[in-house]
Every structure is written in structure tokens, then in C-alpha cells.
Amino acid sequence: MIKFKLNGKIVETDAPATARLLDILRDELDLIGTKEGCGEGECGACSVFVNNLLQNSCLIPIGSIAGADVQTIEGILETDQFKILDECYSIAGGVQCGYCIPGMIMASAALLTKNPHPSEEDIRDGISGNLCRCTGYNMIVEAIHLAARKGDGIWQRK
Ligand code: FES
Ligand code: FES
């Protein structure tokens, strides 16, 4: 039995230690906001926070998660950070098919928490692990610039 904190609540699973965190989230715990793209750590669609660090859940064996604090996109929906990002992605037209967006939002929040006033280069670097097939990235970069400006003061992690 593996126990960990997920979006603020303790959960447990009987899955084998080698099962991927991504699969446990989606198939066992019904948290389908976290997406599978490449399954190889290249696209960022499966991004989650583990102990406040951005990680690709497709690369994490559940056995390594015992006692950890995991947050998915569902766990940040009520935060001011999510609300600002949601609004700014919408204003900037940063969402097309939407598949990459949960991972992009997680990467954006991780970036702005670490660096509330990023340059364009910082932003491109911060989302470099997240692929988007639709937008060409410029609208996503604009969304993060806007979120930095509109959300000034809210990016310190509580
Ligand atoms: Fe995990 Fe692509 S599905 S990085
Ligand atoms: Fe379609 Fe990014 S909006 S992959």
C-alpha cells in the first residue's frame, strides 16, 4: 500500500510500485486533467507538482511517491494563481485544442512562483518542457506576460 498526499488529502493505492503516477491519477483516481502526450518525458502534458516541483508524471513510479505532496491541475483550480492564468490565457488566445493547457498552466504557475517578473526569454525557457501543437507559443508567452502583470503580488506560494 502506497500513501501520499494528493491535492491536500491523503490517498492510498495498492498499485505495483512501478506503476506510473500518471496512470494512477487518471485511471484510479479519476483526475483526468493531467494528460498523456508522449509518455516519455518530452511534452509536459502530464505535468504535476511533487513537493512543489514541476515534474512529468509519466516518468514517476508510484513507489517513489510514498509520503510526497502531489498537486494536479484539479488541485489548483480554486487558487488565485489559476484564476489569473485562466483569464490571461483566454485574453491572449493561448488555448486552441486545449490538450497541452493543463500542463502549460502548471508550468506557468511554477515559473511565475519562482520568477514573478520573467523576461520573454525566461518565459520561453520556463515552458520549454511543454509542447503545444496548435498555438505557435506566442499567445502562450503573451498570456504568461499578462499573468505576471495582472497577478503582481500573488505568485508567492502559500
Ligand atoms: Fe509525460 Fe509527455 S506524457 S512528458
Ligand atoms: Fe492544442 Fe496546445 S492548444 S496542443
Side-chain angles (χ1 to χ4, degrees):
M1 174 85 65
I2 295 157
K3 275 192 197 182
F4 59 102
K5 198 196 260 191
L6 177 61
N7 297 334
K9 293 191 183 138
I10 301 295
V11 295
E12 49 191 42
T13 176
D14 288 324
T18 54
R20 304 183 308 170
L21 174 60
L22 172 63
D23 296 325
I24 303 301
L25 293 174
R26 290 183 55 85
D27 301 340
E28 192 172 315
L29 301 167
D30 290 328
L31 294 176
I32 57 172
T34 304
K35 306 297 186 202
E36 174 154 20
C38 64
E40 296 178 346
E42 302 288 337
C43 76
C46 64
S47 299
V48 298
F49 295 133
V50 178
N51 297 331
N52 287 334
L53 292 175
L54 189 69
Q55 303 276 331
N56 291 324
S57 61
C58 69
L59 295 183
I60 300 179
I62 195 74
S64 71
I65 284 297
D69 183 1
V70 177
Q71 270 191 308
T72 66
I73 187 76
E74 290 88 350
I76 69 164
L77 290 180
E78 298 304 322
T79 62
D80 290 342
Q81 288 95 333
F82 176 82
K83 287 174 187 163
I84 290 281
L85 283 165
D86 186 44
E87 182 187 348
C88 293
Y89 267 71
S90 170
I91 292 169
V95 180
Q96 290 187 17
C97 82
Y99 198 82
C100 70
I101 295 301
M104 282 291 182
I105 295 274
M106 298 301 271
S108 305
L111 166 66
L112 289 169
T113 301
K114 202 161 72 181
N115 177 3
H117 303 289
S119 65
E120 171 155 357
E121 192 182 348
D122 296 335
I123 293 176
R124 290 192 184 270
D125 192 50
I127 59 168
S128 60
N130 292 70
L131 302 184
C132 174
R133 289 175 186 276
C134 305
T135 63
Y137 300 100
N138 289 344
M139 284 100 93
I140 289 176
V141 171
E142 177 55 26
I144 298 172
H145 268 310
L146 259 180
R149 285 201 296 277
K150 284 174 85 82
D152 199 23
I154 67 162
W155 292 110
Q156 289 317 106
R157 196 174 276 279
K158 296 179 180 90

